[in-house]
Amino acid sequence: MAEPTTLERLRQDARDELSALIELRCRLGEDPWAFLPELPSVDEQVVATLREERLHSERWSPARARAYHPTARRGAAERFEFEILRDIALDHPELSTAVWSLLGRVPTAW
């Protein structure tokens, strides 16, 4: 059998992570009908994982520190988040829809 592509592997990992989260919340007694709409889609979870990986890279770590510094200009954090998500969309066009859906709800304290 052929080895899955990186994106396929990331999607499978995201499915596994979301399944584990759903199971945990159900075991804790939460109503799935209440929390399922709040959960990210598989592709949104993949984007969040890729974002997290990039935050620790040499390219993005200093930029994040500048954007979130207390003396940063107003809007710097939002611009940083836009750029990092845009970079993900450029590297993985298949995730563009998920990236753009996340852009509308980017918290500045992610």
Side-chain angles (χ1 to χ4, degrees):
M1 179 157 58
E3 187 173 324
T5 65
T6 302
L7 186 56
E8 289 171 357
R9 183 184 48 75
L10 287 169
R11 283 178 169 153
Q12 185 57 54
D13 291 347
R15 277 192 279 286
D16 293 344
E17 192 172 331
L18 289 170
S19 292
L21 180 60
I22 291 168
E23 181 178 350
L24 173 66
R25 291 181 73 169
C26 286
R27 287 177 185 249
L28 292 173
E30 292 186 54
D31 181 6
W33 289 102
F35 71 81
L36 283 175
E38 301 168 359
L39 293 180
S41 70
V42 170
D43 280 354
E44 289 171 344
Q45 185 66 35
V46 170
V47 170
T49 300
L50 291 170
R51 179 190 169 277
E52 189 65 31
E53 289 174 1
R54 286 168 195 242
L55 290 178
H56 300 290
S57 71
E58 289 182 30
R59 175 181 175 198
W60 291 101
S61 184
R64 182 176 192 270
R66 286 190 302 275
Y68 282 92
H69 193 274
T71 61
R73 289 186 173 170
R74 175 171 289 185
E78 290 84 359
R79 278 191 302 282
F80 168 80
E81 295 297 340
F82 172 81
E83 288 301 322
I84 198 167
L85 290 172
R86 180 179 170 271
D87 191 60
I88 291 169
L90 291 173
D91 286 350
H92 302 280
E94 308 91 336
L95 297 174
S96 292
T97 302
V99 165
W100 300 128
S101 73
L102 287 173
L103 274 174
R105 5 181 203 136
V106 168
T108 54
W110 234 3

